Short mmCIF file of all heavy atoms in Angstrom, two decimals:
data_model
loop_
_atom_site.label_atom_id
_atom_site.label_comp_id
_atom_site.label_asym_id
_atom_site.label_seq_id
_atom_site.Cartn_x
_atom_site.Cartn_y
_atom_site.Cartn_z
N ARG A 19 88.36 106.22 91.08
CA ARG A 19 88.00 107.54 91.76
C ARG A 19 89.17 108.47 91.55
O ARG A 19 89.04 109.67 92.02
CB ARG A 19 87.82 107.19 93.31
CG ARG A 19 86.54 106.51 93.61
CD ARG A 19 86.21 106.52 95.10
NE ARG A 19 87.32 105.84 95.81
CZ ARG A 19 87.53 105.99 97.22
NH1 ARG A 19 86.80 106.74 97.88
NH2 ARG A 19 88.42 105.33 97.78
N LEU A 112 85.92 92.62 96.73
CA LEU A 112 86.88 92.47 97.84
C LEU A 112 86.76 91.09 98.48
O LEU A 112 87.93 90.54 98.90
CB LEU A 112 86.41 93.54 98.87
CG LEU A 112 87.35 93.67 100.17
CD1 LEU A 112 88.82 93.92 99.74
CD2 LEU A 112 86.89 94.87 101.00
N LEU A 132 93.23 97.65 103.86
CA LEU A 132 92.84 98.39 102.55
C LEU A 132 93.73 99.53 102.38
O LEU A 132 93.69 100.45 103.22
CB LEU A 132 91.35 98.61 102.48
CG LEU A 132 90.43 97.55 102.83
CD1 LEU A 132 88.96 98.03 102.56
CD2 LEU A 132 90.68 96.34 101.92
N ASP A 135 92.90 103.40 102.87
CA ASP A 135 92.63 103.95 104.19
C ASP A 135 93.97 104.09 104.84
O ASP A 135 94.56 103.07 105.41
CB ASP A 135 91.72 103.02 105.04
CG ASP A 135 90.31 103.09 104.51
OD1 ASP A 135 89.92 104.08 103.89
OD2 ASP A 135 89.47 102.17 104.83
N SER A 171 78.61 104.66 101.74
CA SER A 171 79.85 104.21 100.98
C SER A 171 80.52 103.06 101.76
O SER A 171 81.63 102.69 101.35
CB SER A 171 80.83 105.37 100.93
OG SER A 171 80.30 106.46 100.30
N TYR A 172 80.02 102.68 102.85
CA TYR A 172 80.72 101.77 103.75
C TYR A 172 79.91 100.46 104.11
O TYR A 172 78.68 100.36 103.76
CB TYR A 172 80.90 102.36 105.15
CG TYR A 172 81.75 103.66 105.07
CD1 TYR A 172 81.29 104.96 104.85
CD2 TYR A 172 83.16 103.56 105.31
CE1 TYR A 172 81.98 106.03 104.78
CE2 TYR A 172 83.95 104.73 105.17
CZ TYR A 172 83.38 105.95 104.91
OH TYR A 172 84.14 107.05 104.88
N GLY A 173 80.57 99.43 104.70
CA GLY A 173 79.93 98.37 105.43
C GLY A 173 79.54 98.95 106.70
O GLY A 173 80.28 99.68 107.37
N GLU A 194 76.38 95.85 103.66
CA GLU A 194 77.30 96.67 102.81
C GLU A 194 76.58 97.70 102.05
O GLU A 194 75.55 97.50 101.36
CB GLU A 194 78.04 95.61 101.75
CG GLU A 194 79.05 96.31 100.86
CD GLU A 194 80.36 96.84 101.40
OE1 GLU A 194 80.56 96.52 102.56
OE2 GLU A 194 81.01 97.48 100.78
N LYS A 195 77.10 98.93 102.12
CA LYS A 195 76.63 100.16 101.43
C LYS A 195 75.18 100.37 101.48
O LYS A 195 74.45 100.27 100.48
CB LYS A 195 77.15 100.07 99.97
CG LYS A 195 78.74 100.05 99.93
CD LYS A 195 79.25 100.40 98.56
CE LYS A 195 80.82 100.64 98.54
NZ LYS A 195 81.67 99.59 99.18
N ALA A 206 80.62 102.63 110.83
CA ALA A 206 81.14 102.19 109.51
C ALA A 206 82.41 101.31 109.65
O ALA A 206 83.27 101.54 110.50
CB ALA A 206 81.47 103.36 108.65
N ILE A 207 82.56 100.34 108.82
CA ILE A 207 83.76 99.53 108.77
C ILE A 207 84.84 100.28 108.06
O ILE A 207 84.61 100.82 106.94
CB ILE A 207 83.54 98.19 108.01
CG1 ILE A 207 82.51 97.40 108.64
CG2 ILE A 207 84.84 97.31 107.98
CD1 ILE A 207 82.02 96.07 107.83
N ILE A 208 86.02 100.38 108.67
CA ILE A 208 87.16 101.08 108.07
C ILE A 208 88.10 100.02 107.62
O ILE A 208 88.07 98.87 108.17
CB ILE A 208 87.74 102.05 109.09
CG1 ILE A 208 86.73 103.03 109.54
CG2 ILE A 208 89.06 102.72 108.51
CD1 ILE A 208 86.19 103.95 108.33
N GLY A 209 89.04 100.25 106.59
CA GLY A 209 89.80 99.17 105.98
C GLY A 209 90.85 98.50 106.76
O GLY A 209 92.02 98.41 106.35
N TYR A 211 91.06 94.82 109.09
CA TYR A 211 90.26 93.63 109.56
C TYR A 211 91.30 92.62 110.19
O TYR A 211 92.38 92.43 109.57
CB TYR A 211 89.56 92.91 108.50
CG TYR A 211 88.70 93.70 107.56
CD1 TYR A 211 89.25 94.55 106.65
CD2 TYR A 211 87.31 93.55 107.61
CE1 TYR A 211 88.42 95.36 105.78
CE2 TYR A 211 86.51 94.33 106.76
CZ TYR A 211 87.08 95.23 105.82
OH TYR A 211 86.24 95.97 105.01
N GLN A 233 81.22 90.49 98.16
CA GLN A 233 81.60 91.50 99.18
C GLN A 233 82.14 90.81 100.42
O GLN A 233 81.64 89.78 100.85
CB GLN A 233 80.38 92.27 99.59
CG GLN A 233 79.81 93.15 98.46
CD GLN A 233 80.67 94.36 98.12
OE1 GLN A 233 81.67 94.59 98.88
NE2 GLN A 233 80.42 95.13 97.06
N THR A 235 82.08 92.01 103.25
CA THR A 235 81.13 92.31 104.36
C THR A 235 80.09 91.14 104.41
O THR A 235 79.72 90.70 105.52
CB THR A 235 80.34 93.62 104.09
OG1 THR A 235 81.35 94.66 104.13
CG2 THR A 235 79.29 93.89 105.23
N ARG A 256 91.54 108.48 110.41
CA ARG A 256 91.64 107.73 109.10
C ARG A 256 91.51 108.74 108.00
O ARG A 256 90.56 109.67 107.98
CB ARG A 256 90.45 106.74 109.09
CG ARG A 256 90.25 106.07 107.72
CD ARG A 256 89.03 106.64 107.14
NE ARG A 256 88.71 105.91 105.92
CZ ARG A 256 87.67 106.03 105.21
NH1 ARG A 256 86.73 106.94 105.49
NH2 ARG A 256 87.47 105.39 104.08
C1 G1P B 301 85.30 98.61 101.24
C2 G1P B 301 84.41 97.66 102.04
C3 G1P B 301 83.48 98.50 102.98
C4 G1P B 301 84.36 99.45 103.93
C5 G1P B 301 85.32 100.19 103.14
C6 G1P B 301 86.24 100.98 103.98
O1 G1P B 301 84.54 99.39 100.40
O2 G1P B 301 83.68 96.95 101.10
O3 G1P B 301 82.69 97.62 103.76
O4 G1P B 301 83.53 100.10 104.70
O5 G1P B 301 86.04 99.44 102.15
O6 G1P B 301 87.07 101.81 103.29
P1 G1P B 301 85.17 100.18 99.15
O7 G1P B 301 85.87 101.39 99.66
O8 G1P B 301 86.13 99.33 98.49
O9 G1P B 301 84.04 100.61 98.31
#
Side-chain angles (χ1 to χ4, degrees):
R19 288 190 299 158
L112 183 57
L132 306 188
D135 285 339
S171 304
Y172 297 89
E194 179 68 12
K195 301 195 170 54
I207 303 171
I208 301 302
Y211 308 73
Q233 295 289 354
T235 302
R256 172 255 187 174

